[in-house]
Amino acid sequence: MELHDVWFVLIAVLWTGYFFLEGFDFGVGVLTKLLARNRAEKRVLINTIGPVWDGNEVWLLTAGGATFAAFPEWYATLFSGFYLPLLVILVCLIVRGVAFEYRVKRPEENWQRNWETAIFWTSLLPAFLWGVAFGNIVHGVKIDRDLEYAGSVWDLLNPYALLGGLVTLTLFTFHGTVFTALKTVGEIRERARALALRVGLLTAVLALAFLVWTQVDSGDGKSLVALVVAVAALVVALMANQAGREGWSFALSGVTIVAAVAMLFLTLFPNVMPSTLDADWSLTVTNASSSPYTLKIMTWLAAVATPVVVLYQGWTYWVFRKRIGTQHIAEPAH
């Protein structure tokens, strides 16, 4: 296997890790409007991800940096062509981080409610837009002979990509709902399990349509296996949720995300951005990659740094593993 193939796999792993971790993170943010009934329950939801949300975003930074270094042509075409939706995602992530920190800085109800509204929208929009972006990457966009994006922002809003956005939004919300059931106690836990069933059924319908469309469009035997694993894991996750096995339900919803992302990258390879204008103008792992020497240095650095980061983040989740409920929420000190 060539080094550019290795880095395609590593970037796929980084995006998978990001969607697995930030997926339930976004989902919990969406639940602040869908599940929480009062200020205390909103604080419970936010506290479930409070110690880990910023660490989850490290995977996005690493994926973006790895793409820039390993596949500069891919990075340049992607970020210039998808400039507006990626800018919206970036602004949302910035405002979301500020909202987590500033929400409790003042005791006024309007102040806290406005920041909580910001958390909801800045969780919902990226969850939807990431699906739109990856839908376009997999389905193909208008790339000309100079390997530059030749379409407009409206070309990105095609039916396949919009369906992909709905899939990531509902899948991340389901992932966040089972995470909430896993991390909470009391009434909010029971309501999270009930909501997970409704969101999960909607997710199953949308995901099946999107993945079958992807398979018919550009799939092969390997991607078909990933499709079956994704759908089966989602169904079993719903069954585990109904049985009150929140840990299994969360793990299996994570398997759904992993298998679905794996399927997208399997259908994409060896392209990194297919061209709908001419297949010969597509960006591939070969014509979009850095030099072998650059990839070699990156491989050694990744081999040393990646295990350290994974172990540290795993330790963080272990430290903050206990369930919480409204009884654990202290009264404001103001």
Side-chain angles (χ1 to χ4, degrees):
M1 180 180 288
E2 299 289 338
L3 281 179
H4 50 66
D5 296 334
V6 171
W7 273 97
F8 179 87
V9 174
L10 290 177
I11 288 172
V13 170
L14 290 171
W15 280 110
T16 302
Y18 174 67
F19 287 146
F20 181 98
L21 296 172
E22 193 85 313
F24 72 76
D25 196 327
F26 287 144
V28 171
V30 172
L31 293 179
T32 57
K33 290 286 188 182
L34 300 184
L35 183 65
R37 291 180 175 174
N38 52 50
R39 180 58 40 75
E41 289 188 350
K42 288 183 179 180
R43 292 176 64 188
V44 168
L45 290 174
I46 293 172
N47 285 356
T48 62
I49 59 174
V52 298
W53 68 267
D54 48 354
N56 294 343
E57 292 185 356
V58 171
W59 289 77
L60 172 62
L61 299 175
T62 308
T67 304
F68 171 77
F71 299 99
E73 285 283 358
W74 184 12
Y75 183 92
T77 304
L78 175 64
F79 277 76
S80 60
F82 293 24
Y83 182 82
L84 184 57
L86 292 179
L87 177 62
V88 173
I89 291 174
L90 177 60
V91 171
C92 284
L93 295 180
I94 293 172
V95 173
R96 189 168 183 263
V98 173
F100 281 129
E101 300 298 331
Y102 274 68
R103 182 183 59 87
V104 295
K105 296 300 183 182
R106 289 172 57 178
E108 292 87 353
E109 183 174 346
N110 285 342
W111 171 272
Q112 296 190 5
R113 184 169 58 246
N114 289 338
W115 284 118
E116 288 163 358
T117 300
I119 290 173
F120 169 77
W121 285 109
T122 56
S123 299
L124 185 148
L125 287 174
F128 174 74
L129 290 175
W130 279 128
V132 174
F134 270 82
N136 279 289
I137 291 173
V138 173
H139 197 58
V141 292
K142 295 179 179 179
I143 298 176
D144 61 20
R145 65 172 66 250
D146 297 321
L147 305 183
E148 296 179 357
Y149 180 67
S152 68
V153 67
W154 303 112
D155 293 322
L156 303 178
L157 303 179
N158 55 79
Y160 177 83
L162 292 174
L163 178 58
L166 291 176
V167 170
T168 52
L169 175 58
T170 54
L171 181 55
F172 291 170
T173 303
F174 173 70
H175 198 40
T177 308
V178 295
F179 177 79
T180 299
L182 176 65
K183 285 288 293 179
T184 58
V185 294
E187 183 184 353
I188 193 171
R189 175 188 176 190
E190 298 303 319
R191 281 191 279 114
R193 286 174 53 194
L195 181 60
L197 176 62
R198 298 194 295 272
V199 176
L201 290 174
L202 176 60
T203 302
V205 173
L206 294 174
L208 182 61
F210 178 73
L211 295 179
V212 169
W213 188 345
T214 304
Q215 178 66 26
V216 172
D217 188 48
S218 54
D220 57 15
K222 294 178 181 178
S223 61
L224 180 60
V225 171
L227 186 157
V228 173
V229 171
V231 173
L234 182 56
V235 171
V236 180
L238 285 168
M239 296 170 59
N241 175 73
Q242 287 302 100
R245 303 296 297 271
E246 291 99 344
W248 280 105
S249 183
F250 175 72
L252 288 165
S253 69
V255 171
T256 302
I257 293 175
V258 170
V261 177
M263 180 185 176
L264 295 182
F265 276 94
L266 284 169
T267 58
L268 186 61
F269 185 83
N271 295 319
V272 293
M273 283 188 75
S275 173
T276 57
L277 299 178
D278 190 323
D280 292 335
W281 299 344
S282 298
L283 290 171
T284 68
V285 293
T286 304
N287 66 16
S289 69
S290 294
S291 67
Y293 182 71
T294 299
L295 296 177
K296 184 176 181 180
I297 294 176
M298 290 175 59
T299 303
W300 282 108
L301 292 174
V304 174
T306 303
V308 176
V309 174
V310 172
L311 288 173
Y312 177 78
Q313 192 164 24
W315 176 78
T316 302
Y317 277 91
W318 175 256
V319 170
F320 295 101
R321 67 189 182 278
K322 293 185 178 180
R323 296 177 182 265
I324 62 173
T326 53
Q327 66 269 32
H328 300 116
I329 301 298
E331 291 296 322
H334 299 286

